[in-house]
Amino acid sequence: MSNSNPNATSISLEGVLERITFYNEENGFLIGKLMGNDKTAEIAVVGKAPKVQCGETLALTGKWFNHPKHGRQFSFTSLKSKLPASAYGIRKYLASGLIHGIGKTYANKIVDHFGTDTLRVISEESGRLKEIEGIGKLRAKSIKEAWEEQKTVREVMMFLQTYGVTDALCLRLVRKYGNSAKTILETEPYRIIREVKGIGFKTADKIALNLGLASNGPARIDAGVLHTLQESEDEGHSHVERRELALNAANLLEADAQDVENRIDALMNEGELVTSKPDWVQHPNAARAEETLVRCLKNQSQAASSLPPIQVEKAIIWAQEKAGFSFADQQAEAVRQALQSKISILTGGPGTGKTTILRALVSILRAKKTKILLAAPTGRAAHRMAESCSHFAQTVHRLLKFDPSQGGFTMNEQNPLTCDFVIMDEASMLDLKLAAALIRSIPPKAHLLLVGDADQLPSVGSGNVLKDLIQCKLFQVTRLAVTFRQAENSGIVGLAHGILAGKGSPPPPVDTLTEIKPQHDVHFIRAVTPEECVTAVTKLSKEILPKKFSIDPKNDLQILAPLHRGIGGIGNLNDQLRDALNPNGATQVMGAMLFREGDKVIQTRNNYDKDVFNGDMGIIEAVDTLNGKVDIDFEGKKVSYQRMEITDLQPAYAISVHKSQGSEYPVVIFPLLKQHFMMLQRNLVYTGLTRAKKKVVFVGDPAAYAMAIRNDKTLVRQTDLIRKLTSG
């Protein structure tokens, strides 16, 4: 160990990492104890580091300082890590649990047997591990595989440590590219923007520029243009004005606008960009999706119907008798239009009778022995649809049968669904590409009914399909305006319709959690600061609501929050709620995420191999810390995740309002703070409120609620679907 004058501006330290006192997965901030090479005393070290393990030898550069509470510490600004070379360091390293299959006991046995040659044996002669009592062929193979995976992860993490890439993203890169990850990062850094979700242009650009790639080279400008277009799609647009694209890309790249314009021309010639209308451009995938929608909708509108002859008025009377009550005029009209029109749309808010119409329609169609398919964007919405209609329903992804080997849906124009009638619920959630995949799979002679609330948040993906199909005025639209559920659920339904009118007010805020009145179904707890809000949400979830209303906080309660970051954000809420609701159980740390047996989790991407989709929620049943595996119960379906797959999961005690679409929960807690101002919009509050079946509790600042209700200026999505539908 080298030591210098405490006042020196920059000195070096080297030693073995003895203990990790604290590590922030988000920003890499480490507090640890270093044992110097002379092994005389432990040294407190603090600074930003990639994920390191006890036992590694660290070479640090930094300076000494005196912390008022913790005493003398070494604050490092740079870190180089190397695998341990001493038996002491190797023993510590392997005992950390880093290599699945080796715990403290086996670490001691292996190092006792192989000494300083241990890591070479694992890397080059792993078969020799069978010399250790208790290690058979399978365990030796598992240790070797875990070692190779960890070696790749380590290389990537060390390479990316200066670029601010989180451990979770490093794992995703390794999962995508395997042992080639570092090579691809060094030779094709811009490629990772397109192929690895979560890696943005700025990260890839920093890598590329550090590697010496030209700042005005075609590869960089192309990546900047395509990234700018992707950002526009992420905001919901399906095309963008060309000049705006060029200016935004030039600003991002700090490049000459004419150079960018030239590369846009080149990308157009190469088919990487296409013209939507004069002076507007879009990605070919978006263009194809819009064109597919237009072609298939027109074909379907013009084709004959495969429904048997139905005397519509008699069928409506029969359905009313079966239901035991008379339909309102709008409800009867919706059933009439669905039976008579090849394509129809049913829209309306909560309590306006959409379920009554679907139930009646399904009853009529079943009585006529027609082939009906019911679908929804999420598993929860499909389950709810099946229950209310007494007919099998499924997610769109399952309906269309994704084939991972082909990278697309099996059902399409050449291989259409077998059906006479398709009912798609929660259609506001359909983005452009999923809508195109659905419509092209429906045979032209079949009927289609799209059901949704056009006032909810639009789809997460690009496009505004439901609103565009309503506004183009080419299809039959029934708007339900009369509320039938007012008496049954007056608070939630009444407030929802008031919000749409810009005047919905919840009950007067109360200042103590115990003031919640059981007879009300909408409540507002005042908690002005983020800290107060988190404390209130945690106490409501753990104590107040379970006791007052006999609810299970994991299965009956959902927290919906506007933002991910910050004290009042989804990330911190999940940390606090996990510790409150599920403090015990085996734990698995994966990248920036911690998972515990009994945790509520949500899937964040479609995994067709596992038949689990973005938005599916489950409970962790078991955590195998030795092999890095977790088993999850997705509402009765058991699924196992290997170590590298766990990055697809996130804690789900708190989720975003967008993630909640298509779902209903008995009780919703909705934090609203001024710190959420970027997201405070009327349709956000409306969507979150209408996810609650029985009760909703707003927690936060009444002024933030008022800000949201006043803000009805939601972002207008630029799409080309209406023009394509109405032009020729």
Side-chain angles (χ1 to χ4, degrees), residues 16 22 90 167 195 245 295 316 323 405 563 568 644 666 682:
V16 174
F22 172 80
I90 295 169
D167 293 349
E195 298 180 350
L245 174 65
R295 184 183 70 254
I316 291 172
S405 65
L563 283 179
M644 298 296 278
R682 186 181 296 176

Side-chain angles (χ1 to χ4, degrees), residues 469-533:
L469 294 183
I470 291 171
Q471 289 173 8
C472 75
K473 298 182 179 176
L474 294 175
F475 310 106
Q476 294 294 336
V477 178
T478 304
R479 299 175 187 273
L480 302 176
V482 179
T483 303
F484 298 99
R485 215 172 358 131
Q486 188 76 18
E488 173 202 330
N489 201 355
S490 59
I492 292 173
V493 175
L495 180 57
H497 288 278
I499 286 171
L500 291 181
K503 55 188 179 186
S505 297
V510 297
D511 293 304
T512 59
L513 304 180
T514 52
E515 290 183 67
I516 290 180
K517 294 181 170 57
Q519 66 271 29
H520 294 164
D521 54 9
V522 180
H523 313 270
F524 202 116
I525 306 294
R526 193 193 314 274
V528 176
T529 69
E531 291 81 4
E532 290 171 347
C533 180

Side-chain angles (χ1 to χ4, degrees), residues 1-14 59-65 72-78:
M1 179 180 74
S2 168
N3 200 338
S4 303
N5 184 329
N7 297 318
T9 54
S10 181
I11 59 172
S12 299
L13 264 181
E14 186 173 297
L60 309 176
T61 303
K63 60 183 180 180
W64 293 99
F65 77 103
R72 196 167 186 245
Q73 297 182 338
F74 187 78
S75 175
F76 61 87
T77 52
S78 72

Side-chain angles (χ1 to χ4, degrees), residues 52-71:
V52 288
Q53 297 294 329
C54 294
E56 291 186 39
T57 297
L58 304 183
L60 309 176
T61 303
K63 60 183 180 180
W64 293 99
F65 77 103
N66 284 309
H67 190 281
K69 184 177 179 181
H70 302 293

